[in-house]
Amino acid sequence: MYTDLNRILYDHLLKTGVGEEVAAYLNLLVLLIGSLLLAALVDFVVWKILRTISVRLARKSATNYDNYLVAHRVPRYVARIVPLLLLFEAVPIVFVDFERGGAIAHKLFQIILVVFTLLIVKSFFRSTKDYLKTKPRYRDKPLDSYIQVFMIFAWIIGLLTIFVIITDTTVWKFFTALGAASAIILLIFKDSILGLVASVQVSINDMVRIGDWITFDKYGADGDVIEITLATVKVQNFDKTITTIPTYALISDSFKNWRGMQESGGRRIKRPLIISQKSIRFLSDQDVEDLKRIELIRPYLMDRNEKIKAHNQSHGVDKGLAVNGRNLTNVGVFRKYVQEYLGQHPAVNKGMTLMVRQLQPGPEGIPLEIYAFSADKRWENYEYIMADIFDHLLAALPFFGLEIFEWPTSQILLKPPHDPNPKTS
């Protein structure tokens, strides 16, 4: 029946004296145009129906997932599958007199069908990714890497299907030929393979999340992770520049992730005061009495001074020399002062490590290191707190007879020595 219908024009042209070849081509042209117009009409009708259904579902649905499906054209791609299937079925009718052309058209429509299927899968995954990013549970997950992994497998399956359609062969023969060229393929796709393995390891081990602050000195990255894909990790530095890091570098090189600090109760302050060794000395009784005016260490000095005096008297220590027996030093008292000062500072987390330690002396002097944690972890506030602490400590040093180390300046080096007996002319 179909053969009779699709050859009506052909038979009519023959009756009018048109040659068989010309009649066949004209018949093909008319049938092809008619099929395309019919497919366009079906596409329009199906799209209208799907769009109406999509709008109604979006209004009734409690979630906005369908909005992302529409935004990524999933219903539009689905609507085009129907006219494509119609054209696929119409090939034997349209190419009734052109068997070879029909075979080519048949393969072409099959390939287009595979491509549209891949587009639907891609749009579906992208819609799912954008929807999940609105959920707090998935906001910091590397969803882009997962989507890219899925799409790699989807494209591999799609390309294999297209290869089978074009060559009329089997997948097993393709894999046999692929094995012989595996070394070249591995070389070409080395970065992609490394990125795939790295993405899986980064995700499983939870090494990096979107929003993490990382420092990667090798690549000059110091900022927040804004995107994690199969091949790259994008970091927005604090100067608003963007640094792109290969994903596999996260497992092959060393970098610092500040997430632990951000999730903890404070941010570490670790900075020394370099004290000049020449300013360190024993404290006399008068020095102790003067320092008792400092409220933070008054109880400590009263208690400690009494114990030292009792110890020296019980052991008959000759205090004609300050070095004999037990003594207080200005640097030791200052260290206690710093400890008390940090202990009462409102911006220091008292529940975390807090200590003032003396490090190994060096050519510059004796480092007195403050090791504490600020309660406020925000960068600008953290810097303000640390500056506030050291402003006070630097200003407090002279009250203990201590000096901070400084390299001599050119003015001091070039200044002529003072002559107590200047010559007069």
Side-chain angles (χ1 to χ4, degrees):
M1 178 179 180
Y2 288 123
T3 305
D4 295 337
L5 291 176
N6 61 7
R7 295 178 68 90
I8 292 177
L9 179 62
Y10 175 78
D11 294 337
H12 176 73
L13 292 173
L14 289 179
K15 291 179 182 179
T16 58
V18 178
E20 293 184 1
E21 185 175 356
V22 175
Y25 277 109
L26 289 174
N27 186 70
L28 170 64
L29 181 62
V30 171
L31 290 175
L32 184 59
I33 293 174
S35 299
L36 292 175
L37 291 175
L38 180 61
L41 178 63
V42 171
D43 177 70
F44 177 78
V45 173
V46 173
W47 166 232
K48 286 291 185 182
I49 295 173
L50 283 179
R51 187 169 63 177
T52 303
I53 295 174
S54 300
V55 172
R56 291 182 178 178
L57 288 176
R59 290 175 179 174
K60 295 181 180 180
S61 176
T63 178
N64 59 349
Y65 179 61
D66 43 11
N67 296 334
Y68 290 102
L69 291 175
V70 174
H72 289 287
R73 302 172 59 85
V74 174
R76 191 69 189 96
Y77 289 135
V78 172
R80 286 180 174 170
I81 294 294
V82 178
L84 190 59
L85 292 174
L86 176 64
L87 290 173
F88 182 78
E89 293 296 329
V91 167
I93 301 173
V94 175
F95 292 89
V96 61
D97 294 319
F98 299 89
E99 184 177 350
R100 186 173 180 181
I104 295 174
H106 198 272
K107 289 184 179 182
L108 178 62
F109 287 131
Q110 283 182 315
I111 293 173
I112 295 175
L113 182 62
V114 171
V115 173
F116 269 105
T117 303
L118 290 173
L119 291 176
I120 292 173
V121 172
K122 179 182 178 181
S123 300
F124 174 77
F125 280 142
R126 292 178 64 185
S127 303
T128 304
K129 177 197 68 176
D130 290 346
Y131 172 72
L132 291 178
K133 281 187 175 180
T134 63
K135 302 295 181 181
R137 181 179 177 183
Y138 300 99
R139 194 168 295 162
D140 58 352
K141 299 295 185 295
L143 298 176
D144 293 288
S145 295
Y146 299 145
I147 298 301
Q148 287 179 340
V149 171
F150 291 143
M151 284 308 304
I152 284 176
F153 286 110
W155 279 106
I156 289 175
I157 295 173
L159 292 175
L160 287 176
T161 305
I162 293 174
F163 175 81
V164 170
I165 292 172
I166 294 175
T167 60
D168 290 326
T169 184
T170 63
V171 178
W172 302 113
K173 289 184 179 180
F174 174 77
F175 278 119
T176 302
L178 191 65
S182 59
I184 299 176
I185 293 174
L186 289 175
L187 182 62
I188 295 174
F189 295 100
K190 181 189 70 172
D191 291 339
S192 300
I193 296 171
L194 289 174
L196 174 60
V197 175
S199 296
V200 173
Q201 291 188 1
V202 167
S203 302
I204 293 176
N205 298 324
D206 196 22
M207 297 170 63
V208 176
R209 301 175 189 168
I210 294 176
D212 283 356
W213 169 19
I214 68 170
T215 303
F216 209 140
D217 295 333
K218 180 178 179 180
Y219 293 92
D222 185 15
D224 299 326
V225 176
I226 59 174
E227 183 179 302
I228 301 176
T229 64
L230 189 63
T232 60
V233 174
K234 287 185 179 180
V235 179
Q236 185 173 45
N237 302 309
F238 294 121
D239 60 358
K240 301 307 178 183
T241 59
I242 303 294
T243 299
T244 302
I245 303 170
T247 306
Y248 60 80
L250 297 178
I251 61 175
S252 61
D253 297 315
S254 176
F255 70 98
K256 183 183 291 185
N257 191 331
W258 295 84
R259 189 200 313 160
M261 178 275 296
Q262 293 173 329
E263 294 177 351
S264 68
R267 184 170 177 180
R268 187 181 69 176
I269 298 172
K270 184 175 179 289
R271 182 181 291 181
L273 290 167
I274 310 298
I275 297 175
S276 174
Q277 299 181 50
K278 294 180 180 180
S279 64
I280 296 175
R281 59 182 174 83
F282 292 116
L283 293 177
S284 64
D285 291 339
Q286 185 60 45
D287 292 331
V288 174
E289 291 302 319
D290 292 340
L291 288 174
K292 284 181 181 179
R293 297 171 59 190
I294 301 175
E295 295 180 354
L296 280 179
I297 55 172
R298 183 184 300 157
Y300 166 77
L301 287 174
M302 294 175 63
D303 177 70
R304 190 67 177 167
N305 197 39
E306 291 297 328
K307 290 181 178 179
I308 289 175
K309 285 183 177 181
H311 175 272
N312 290 336
Q313 290 175 1
S314 64
H315 288 77
V317 176
D318 178 13
K319 292 305 294 177
L321 288 176
V323 73
N324 293 332
R326 296 174 63 181
N327 299 277
L328 288 170
T329 62
N330 59 349
V331 70
V333 175
F334 178 70
R335 189 171 68 249
K336 180 63 178 178
Y337 172 79
V338 176
Q339 188 82 29
E340 295 296 327
Y341 173 75
L342 294 175
Q344 60 83 40
H345 199 290
V348 174
N349 191 327
K350 313 308 185 298
M352 303 182 73
T353 304
L354 194 161
M355 64 178 176
V356 182
R357 58 178 182 170
Q358 190 178 117
L359 302 181
Q360 181 177 351
E364 295 85 6
I366 298 180
L368 195 66
E369 185 180 77
I370 286 80
Y371 195 103
F373 288 83
S374 67
D376 196 329
K377 295 170 288 186
R378 291 173 294 180
W379 189 11
E380 58 273 21
N381 293 350
Y382 162 79
E383 293 290 347
Y384 175 81
I385 292 167
M386 186 163 54
D388 179 70
I389 290 173
F390 280 86
D391 287 348
H392 178 86
L393 296 181
L394 288 169
L397 271 170
F399 290 90
F400 296 84
L402 294 169
E403 297 177 0
I404 205 74
F405 174 82
E406 290 183 345
W407 288 106
T409 63
S410 58
Q411 292 181 351
I412 296 176
L413 293 175
L414 297 176
K415 185 177 180 180
H418 176 68
D419 187 356
N421 299 306
K423 297 180 180 178
T424 59
S425 56

